[in-house]
Amino acid sequence: MMNKYIKLFLFLFIVTSTSTVIVSCDIEDGKDGINGVDGKDGEDGKDGEDGEDFTPPEAMFSNKSSLAPLVKLHSEFSTVEAFSLLSSTDVLSNGFRLVGAQDGAGFLKDGDEYIYVVNAEDDYAVSRIRFDKDLNPISGDWLLNSGVADYARQCSGTMWEAAVHGGDKDIFLSASESLSYDVKGIDPWIETPTPTADFGLDALGEFSWENAVPLPKGAYTGKTVIIGGDDDSSGSEGQVTMYLSENGDADLANGKIYVLRFKQVSDGAGGTMDVAADQVYNEGS
């Protein structure tokens, strides 16, 4: 029995000693190596060549219509020259003929050609005219005509360009100058026009629209802002309106409508006076 205790004691002593040796031995740190040499910076690339300036061909600046320009230039504009591109006396190759008093318009480049969208105010319509690279009129069609249910005098117009105003498509904003009507939003690129379709942008409100001018998308980031002129002569004396949406830079359906309110008006004697609630004022008189 004593021999067993002695053997057990010696075994534990050896194990304990071995463990102590293992734990108590520190490994010596290696020496730091020498830092490498930094590589050389690459050379700058060569600057590209400047593009050529656009030089319009001489044929672009000439009368294209059979009718001379109906413009009288005063001496103050002696360096300005006017040219006629299209008149109501002209008939284009596809039978299109320009009618009505031309008002607000938009101009787009389409490859080497151009698209001109314009309101025909007296005919309650909007036309689209295609020009070649030298501004010779090629053809025309009607994007809106008086057969539409809410026909109105189409007054001023503004081309909403996606690159400028936001969104992913161009829209021609045509102002309907009749009491309680919508601004019409028309696709200038449509292949087959639907001139009697409903183009009304209800969210912008119903006014006697003189114009509807969208602000560039960078004016208020993430917002859609359209300033409108109300040409109402029925008693309200007209107003300045604003459509505001905070749902992105091309939201024409979910915004709110605001109307500019005067705080003071002329008192008729060279001074001003505070406005009264529910009172209509005419600053033009």
Side-chain angles (χ1 to χ4, degrees):
M1 180 64 70
M2 181 62 67
N3 289 335
K4 289 183 179 180
Y5 283 120
I6 293 173
K7 290 180 180 179
L8 178 60
F9 172 80
L10 291 174
F11 174 77
L12 293 175
F13 176 79
I14 293 171
V15 171
T16 304
S17 299
T18 304
S19 299
T20 303
V21 170
I22 293 173
V23 173
S24 62
C25 288
D26 293 331
I27 300 174
E28 184 179 355
D29 292 338
K31 295 182 179 180
D32 294 336
I34 300 174
N35 292 332
V37 179
D38 293 337
K40 295 182 179 180
D41 294 335
E43 297 181 359
D44 293 336
K46 295 182 179 180
D47 294 335
E49 296 181 0
D50 293 336
E52 296 182 1
D53 294 333
F54 172 68
T55 303
E58 292 184 8
M60 179 176 284
F61 297 104
S62 61
N63 289 328
K64 311 300 170 63
S65 172
S66 60
L67 187 66
L70 302 176
V71 177
K72 180 180 180 181
L73 296 175
H74 291 274
S75 58
E76 295 91 333
F77 303 97
S78 59
T79 59
V80 176
E81 190 172 359
F83 303 100
S84 60
L85 300 181
L86 187 65
S87 306
S88 58
T89 55
D90 304 316
V91 179
L92 300 185
S93 60
N94 67 337
F96 176 84
R97 186 171 182 175
L98 194 66
V99 296
Q102 308 309 298
D103 206 315
F107 201 67
L108 295 170
K109 197 170 191 312
D110 184 18
D112 291 333
E113 299 178 346
Y114 301 92
I115 292 175
Y116 180 61
V117 180
V118 58
N119 287 335
E121 183 172 351
D122 290 347
D123 281 75
Y124 315 110
V126 177
S127 67
R128 176 178 60 182
I129 303 160
R130 181 171 290 276
F131 293 87
D132 68 12
K133 63 182 180 61
D134 294 325
L135 293 182
N136 293 297
I138 302 172
S139 61
D141 51 16
W142 295 98
L143 302 181
L144 175 77
N145 64 32
S146 58
V148 69
D150 60 340
Y151 72 92
R153 296 176 65 89
Q154 299 307 124
C155 199
S156 298
T158 302
M159 185 64 74
W160 173 298
E161 297 184 64
V164 176
H165 301 100
D168 57 3
K169 60 182 179 180
D170 303 324
I171 306 171
F172 183 63
L173 299 179
S174 180
S176 298
E177 193 183 14
S178 294
L179 184 62
S180 298
Y181 275 84
D182 291 335
V183 171
K184 293 178 172 64
I186 301 174
D187 179 5
W189 298 102
I190 188 170
E191 291 188 16
T192 303
T194 54
T196 59
D198 180 8
F199 299 106
L201 299 175
D202 297 334
L204 273 63
E206 294 184 347
F207 299 93
S208 181
W209 289 93
E210 171 65 28
N211 50 24
V213 182
L215 299 188
K217 60 184 177 181
Y220 298 97
T221 303
K223 297 179 175 61
T224 304
V225 181
I226 299 176
I227 306 299
D230 173 30
D231 193 15
D232 181 14
S233 56
S234 67
S236 74
E237 305 299 342
Q239 303 174 87
V240 177
T241 72
M242 180 179 72
Y243 169 84
L244 170 65
S245 170
E246 300 188 53
N247 302 312
D249 57 22
D251 176 27
L252 301 176
N254 303 292
K256 295 181 179 180
I257 303 166
Y258 299 87
V259 177
L260 182 66
R261 176 179 177 270
F262 281 117
K263 291 185 176 181
Q264 291 184 320
V265 294
S266 171
D267 62 3
T272 60
M273 64 180 184
D274 294 337
V275 299
D278 301 320
Q279 177 68 41
V280 176
Y281 297 91
N282 187 335
E283 286 288 77
S285 59

